[in-house]
Amino acid sequence: GPGPAETGGGGKNPVVALAGFVKDQVVRMKDGTIELYTNHKKCNDIRSKQKEFAIKSGQIRRDATTGGITYAEYDFLQRGKDDRGKLGSLLFMMFFAPNFLPYAIMFNPGMMPSPFKVPPRSSGAVEETRWEAISRQRTHAVIGAMMDMEKSARVAPAMAKMNPFGGAKTKRNMERIDQMAHAGGAFLAASGASGLQGGADILSLLSDKLYKASAEPFTKKETQLVAVPKPIIKGLATAISAESPPSGLLPNFILRGQVVNHIQKVATADEFLFKQDIDLATVSGDLLLEACNLRLIGGPGRSDDELREGLKQWLNAVVAEPKVKTDANMQYNSNLARAALMGYNAVDGARDDRSSSYLPRLLFQGQYGAQSTAQYEKETASTKRGRRRK
């Protein structure tokens, strides 16, 4: 018969299982607290090195991009800052809104500080690495965003149908999304719109939105990406937080805030790399993977050389080239540039043969045979004309 710790079905006794769960949580809390404190002390040491460098170089005060440290130390410092901010938010909710804390964690699992995060466990028959899981989730985010773009251009939002006076505005928004979807589709179908060259091309295509020869800076609405369609914001937010995707119930303004905050975090890291002239050859392994992951660059199966080249092209496209134009008194919308390039990187990663999500690619593989995209479009247009004549 079953032992004292087992039920008749061979499973553990519920009381024993509960005791084990409570023990695991207590141990995780203790270890996480110790790690958080140890990381805090190390961050203080790194900040001290920055302060010494600032004094020697004549800077008035230390900031995030101050030198005197390696990129590995900078990355550690920023992760420590993020963890302290998340811990502060958790403590605030524990004292002032304890009833809402479980729901906050459920809807936004990424709010937990890294020392307290539960390591992901594979529950499927096929084991996958962390980077394979991220690649799969990002591919799904890309596909979902494209489907939502099509739907948004064809089907009016449910709330819009309830407003009898907003029909004209809804129609204009749907037409704008439809135009953006067709323009994006034409770009992705163009020859050479892949890899690093495709990223440069998308920024060139959007140059009139990224720069303006005016003394007035871009408005807050423009820099906060208010005009970017909801499907793209949702897709970016999901791709950025691929390990713990945000809930689909979160409103658009919260998702947009998460995207903008991430972009500003990346912008500060870009400035540090560029300002301190960090040799990318010294960035390798997990540090290089994390740097590229923040910018949605690459995916599984990439070599360090490929990732470094992608990071180098990123810095050139969003920092070095814009600096030449801003020095000539042009205004630059850096948030929109980074959002556009991140979106392209996510799409390019999803289309790559090394992407972990293989079934979506198989859906269209070989459909057009040896025909070029241009020939396919030409024949499609001819067919539509023939139908109209009939």
Side-chain angles (χ1 to χ4, degrees):
E6 294 183 349
T7 64
K12 284 187 177 181
N13 186 294
V15 177
V16 176
L18 178 61
F21 173 78
V22 172
K23 179 183 176 182
D24 290 343
Q25 297 305 311
V26 171
V27 171
R28 183 176 293 115
M29 177 64 69
K30 177 180 72 72
D31 293 345
T33 302
I34 294 174
E35 182 181 348
L36 199 64
Y37 179 69
T38 303
N39 292 348
H40 174 65
K41 291 197 297 183
K42 184 175 179 180
C43 286
N44 286 339
D45 293 339
I46 296 173
R47 278 191 288 268
S48 296
K49 292 173 66 175
Q50 281 189 310
K51 288 178 182 178
E52 292 178 5
F53 181 85
I55 293 172
K56 291 179 181 179
S57 59
Q59 294 183 24
I60 298 176
R61 56 179 297 179
R62 180 196 72 86
D63 59 30
T65 62
T66 299
I69 59 175
T70 65
Y71 179 69
E73 291 174 319
Y74 169 86
D75 181 70
F76 188 90
L77 193 62
Q78 296 309 307
R79 285 188 284 114
K81 179 182 176 182
D82 290 344
D83 285 339
R84 289 194 303 277
K86 292 177 180 179
L87 180 63
S89 298
L90 285 175
L91 292 175
F92 179 86
M93 294 198 71
M94 284 175 63
F95 285 102
F96 296 101
N99 293 337
F100 292 98
L101 182 58
Y103 300 102
I105 296 175
M106 180 176 65
F107 288 124
N108 186 21
M111 71 180 295
M112 293 294 292
S114 58
F116 298 102
K117 285 184 178 179
V118 180
R121 297 177 182 177
S122 176
S123 58
V126 179
E127 295 288 336
E128 62 180 358
T129 66
R130 176 195 174 200
W131 302 110
E132 288 171 342
I134 290 175
S135 173
R136 175 175 51 79
Q137 291 280 18
R138 283 184 177 157
T139 300
H140 295 178
V142 168
I143 295 170
M146 290 183 170
M147 293 171 62
D148 288 344
M149 282 287 284
E150 282 190 348
K151 182 178 179 180
S152 298
R154 299 290 186 271
V155 181
M159 295 299 295
K161 297 177 183 178
M162 300 173 62
N163 182 7
F165 306 105
K169 181 179 179 181
T170 300
K171 184 178 180 181
R172 288 195 299 271
N173 286 337
M174 292 173 68
E175 289 175 348
R176 182 173 65 90
I177 292 175
D178 189 48
Q179 291 172 358
M180 291 182 64
H182 278 86
F187 170 80
L188 293 175
S191 176
S194 62
L196 300 179
Q197 183 58 46
D201 291 343
I202 192 69
L203 294 184
S204 177
L205 186 67
L206 296 173
S207 59
D208 61 327
K209 304 291 185 183
L210 303 179
Y211 301 97
K212 66 178 182 179
S214 172
E216 295 185 7
F218 283 95
T219 65
K220 184 177 180 180
K221 181 178 179 179
E222 291 170 320
T223 59
Q224 294 297 304
L225 311 180
V226 174
V228 177
K230 180 179 178 180
I232 295 179
I233 291 294
K234 180 182 177 182
L236 274 175
T238 305
I240 289 169
S241 304
E243 288 187 277
S244 53
S247 169
L249 299 178
L250 290 178
N252 185 55
F253 74 91
I254 292 182
L255 294 177
R256 188 173 67 246
Q258 291 179 354
V259 170
V260 172
N261 288 340
H262 179 82
I263 287 174
Q264 291 173 346
K265 173 183 175 181
V266 171
T268 304
D270 290 343
E271 186 178 351
F272 177 84
L273 287 167
F274 183 80
K275 183 178 176 181
Q276 303 304 327
D277 194 21
I278 299 296
D279 183 5
L280 297 184
T282 63
V283 183
S284 60
D286 289 341
L287 185 63
L288 178 61
L289 286 169
E290 290 290 355
C292 292
N293 179 50
L294 287 175
R295 299 159 178 83
L296 310 190
I297 297 173
R302 271 70 166 187
S303 65
D304 279 7
D305 289 339
E306 286 181 278
L307 294 175
R308 285 195 192 94
E309 186 61 27
L311 185 55
K312 177 182 176 182
Q313 292 292 338
W314 169 281
L315 292 173
N316 183 63
V318 300
V319 183
E321 291 181 3
K323 187 176 185 305
V324 175
K325 296 185 179 182
T326 54
D327 287 346
N329 298 322
M330 293 190 72
Q331 301 297 328
Y332 171 53
N333 191 343
S334 60
N335 283 356
L336 182 59
R338 286 182 171 86
L341 197 51
M342 282 183 185
Y344 169 78
N345 288 341
V347 173
D348 192 56
R351 297 197 298 176
D352 193 282
D353 290 339
R354 293 166 289 186
S355 167
S356 295
S357 184
Y358 58 93
L359 289 178
R361 288 198 311 277
L362 296 177
L363 184 62
F364 296 105
Q365 185 174 340
Q367 181 176 349
Y368 304 145
Q371 292 179 334
S372 66
T373 304
Q375 181 66 20
Y376 172 76
E377 291 178 344
K378 181 179 178 181
E379 292 181 0
T380 303
S382 177
T383 302
K384 289 182 178 179
R385 287 195 297 270
R387 289 175 180 172
R388 284 197 293 268
R389 291 193 189 99
K390 292 178 181 179

